[in-house]
């Protein structure tokens, strides 16, 4: 396990390190550039039904809230697609079919 990984009681995940009080910048780098998978720590998915409706999750993370499915990459995953499919299945119980990369967001 490296220092960029953490165990959440269930599984080993890649960690996004943010220091308390540190400002974080998010930069939209589009979809034409995909960083090396080792640099990716999490994914966010906007799943659509065949009728064009967005599938959301009602998540209980201290307070109930509607959210899009997504989460941290697990250390045994090797592609964004693997992470996306697992997160969507866990959070909304849907099997993803075709995936399309829309945006890559970089944080410092």
């Amino acid at each position: 396990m490296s220092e960029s990984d953490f165990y959440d009681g269930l599984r080993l995940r890649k960690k996004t390190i943010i220091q308390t009080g540190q400002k974080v910048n998010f930069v939209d780098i589009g979809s034409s550039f995909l960083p090396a998978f080792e640099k990716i720590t999490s994914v966010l998915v906007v799943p659509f039904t065949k009728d064009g409706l967005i599938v959301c999750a009602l998540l209980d993370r201290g307070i109930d809230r509607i959210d899009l499915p997504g989460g941290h990459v697990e250390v045994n995953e090797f592609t964004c697609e693997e992470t996306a499919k697992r997160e969507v299945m866990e959070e909304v119980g849907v099997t993803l079919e075709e995936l399309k990369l829309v945006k890559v967001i970089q944080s410092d």
Side-chain angles (χ1 to χ4, degrees):
M1 177 167 33
S2 74
E3 76 177 62
S4 65
D5 301 333
F6 73 100
Y7 182 70
D8 71 357
L10 299 173
R11 59 194 128 211
L12 198 59
R13 299 178 181 222
K14 289 185 176 180
K15 179 162 69 171
T16 303
I17 301 170
I18 301 174
Q19 303 293 328
T20 303
Q22 173 187 357
K23 291 183 180 180
V24 178
N25 296 302
F26 294 97
V27 178
D28 176 357
I29 56 177
S31 63
S32 60
F33 172 75
L34 185 62
F37 186 69
E38 296 76 37
K39 302 277 186 184
I40 297 171
T41 58
S42 58
V43 302
L44 176 69
V45 182
V46 183
F48 289 88
T49 66
K50 291 181 181 187
D51 298 329
L53 301 174
I54 296 175
V55 178
C56 294
L58 179 59
L59 301 175
D60 180 11
R61 294 185 176 158
I63 58 170
D64 287 341
R65 66 181 185 155
I66 295 175
D67 205 349
L68 293 170
H72 284 92
V73 172
E74 293 184 0
V75 295
N76 63 338
E77 293 170 334
F78 300 99
T79 67
C80 293
E81 291 82 4
E82 267 185 288
T83 302
K85 288 180 177 188
R86 176 187 51 77
E87 286 289 347
V88 169
M89 179 54 75
E90 286 177 0
E91 294 183 5
V92 295
V94 171
T95 301
L96 292 178
E97 293 178 6
E98 179 185 351
L99 297 174
K100 178 181 177 185
L101 175 65
V102 177
K103 293 280 184 182
V104 175
I105 308 282
Q106 176 180 335
S107 62
D108 56 7

